[in-house]
Amino acid sequence: MPLVRRLEAVGFRAWPASSVQYDGSWQVRLTAGHPSNRLNSIVPLDPSDHRDVEVRLEKASRKFDAYGRPAVLRQTPLASPVLIDLVKEQQWTHFDETIVMTCDLAHAELPDTLDHLPTHDIGRFVDANLATDQVSPKLKPALAEIINAIGPPCGLFMIEDLKTGPLATVLCVQDNDLAGIMSLSVAKKRRREGLGLEILTSALRWARMRSARSAWLQVKAANLPALALYDRLGFREAYRYSYWRREQPQ
């Protein structure tokens, strides 16, 4: 449980929401300009905190109503079973199981791939990430704001082709001895060519040179190619989380 608490804390700092409110140990994260569930969810942080659970859940849900969004609850090992039983009873929809993985970076044998240096151009990185992820360019201001709000040092890595454009991106956030891997994406037409391994290895080398001893990342449980890549580099499962969504009436 201490590891879960620490990884949750560094995860919040690595991907900061624009609005964070607390109700007891519950964190209500909202970000108007970006749809990411990690930035828009109720996050319980103490398994024993289930006082007035029904009233508090309704209160938190109304904050999402004000944003015109369905309420989303993030279930980690820190969520109270009483709260999870309540959302099941209220017939919230369960979705997106995600695995949090860690790697002993200090002793990892990183492959000998072409090295890439991080860029300091946030706008260029955001453009590349949105292109490789095939996400609307309209999200550029929100994503740029999120990256600018990251407190710990971070490295922005890209692989580009002068003719065809961006091929791969990754964001590495170093929080003391922990390095968080975020926004890893490879252009759809260039997958399975080793670009993901190449750029991820560059980010991990950068973090290790800056004295990071462990690396962590989050990956959807259904993403088998990504899981194979992370397993190759020595990442192992630490815990899982998933989401519950309250459907809005039609």
Side-chain angles (χ1 to χ4, degrees):
M1 200 65 79
L3 176 63
V4 176
R5 294 184 189 280
R6 188 173 187 213
L7 290 177
E8 286 294 295
V10 297
F12 295 149
R13 293 193 290 270
W15 206 238
S18 60
S19 170
V20 179
Q21 301 176 43
Y22 281 90
D23 179 353
S25 65
W26 297 9
Q27 191 179 99
V28 182
R29 297 165 58 81
L30 285 161
T31 304
H34 200 284
S36 165
N37 289 313
R38 276 191 281 177
L39 298 173
N40 296 277
S41 53
I42 305 161
V43 189
L45 298 172
D46 183 347
S48 66
D49 184 6
H50 47 75
R51 173 185 52 82
D52 300 327
V53 61
E54 190 166 355
V55 172
R56 292 166 65 195
L57 182 61
E58 181 59 32
K59 179 182 176 182
S61 297
R62 285 200 297 268
K63 298 181 188 299
F64 288 80
D65 294 340
Y67 278 67
R69 292 178 174 170
V72 172
L73 173 74
R74 187 161 170 265
Q75 179 186 353
T76 74
L78 301 178
S80 166
V82 175
L83 175 58
I84 301 308
D85 287 344
L86 176 61
V87 297
K88 290 178 180 178
E89 180 183 323
Q90 294 182 352
Q91 298 185 325
W92 289 40
T93 301
H94 187 240
F95 67 104
D96 270 3
E97 184 178 35
T98 299
I99 305 173
V100 180
M101 308 184 78
T102 60
C103 170
D104 180 1
L105 187 56
H107 300 98
E109 295 185 8
L110 300 178
D112 185 18
T113 58
L114 183 64
D115 208 7
H116 298 272
L117 297 176
T119 178
H120 298 288
D121 190 335
I122 292 178
R124 184 178 168 197
F125 174 83
V126 169
D127 285 337
N129 181 253
L130 294 175
T132 54
D133 258 349
Q134 297 184 317
V135 176
S136 170
K138 293 180 180 179
L139 287 179
K140 180 175 181 177
L143 184 54
E145 182 178 352
I146 292 165
I147 294 175
N148 272 303
I150 297 172
C154 59
L156 309 173
F157 294 83
M158 300 184 298
I159 299 176
E160 297 179 292
D161 184 291
L162 294 179
K163 293 182 180 180
T164 61
L167 303 179
T169 66
V170 72
L171 166 64
C172 183
V173 181
Q174 186 189 350
D175 196 331
N176 296 311
D177 64 329
L178 290 175
I181 298 298
M182 319 284 292
S183 299
L184 175 63
S185 64
V186 177
K188 189 174 182 179
K189 293 182 179 180
R190 298 296 301 273
R191 291 173 185 169
R192 301 183 184 280
E193 296 181 18
L195 292 171
L197 177 65
E198 183 177 313
I199 197 167
L200 177 55
T201 301
S202 292
L204 293 175
R205 283 200 197 101
W206 174 83
R208 186 158 68 180
M209 286 178 60
R210 296 173 57 88
S211 301
R213 299 190 59 80
S214 298
W216 64 272
L217 54 81
Q218 304 179 8
V219 56
K220 290 187 178 180
N223 191 343
L224 299 183
L227 287 169
L229 169 62
Y230 301 145
D231 179 74
R232 177 177 174 182
L233 288 171
F235 282 88
R236 299 293 180 262
E237 180 175 333
Y239 64 97
R240 298 189 180 206
Y241 69 82
S242 57
Y243 293 98
W244 295 84
R245 178 176 55 238
R246 185 174 75 168
E247 302 300 338
Q248 293 176 311
Q250 300 295 324

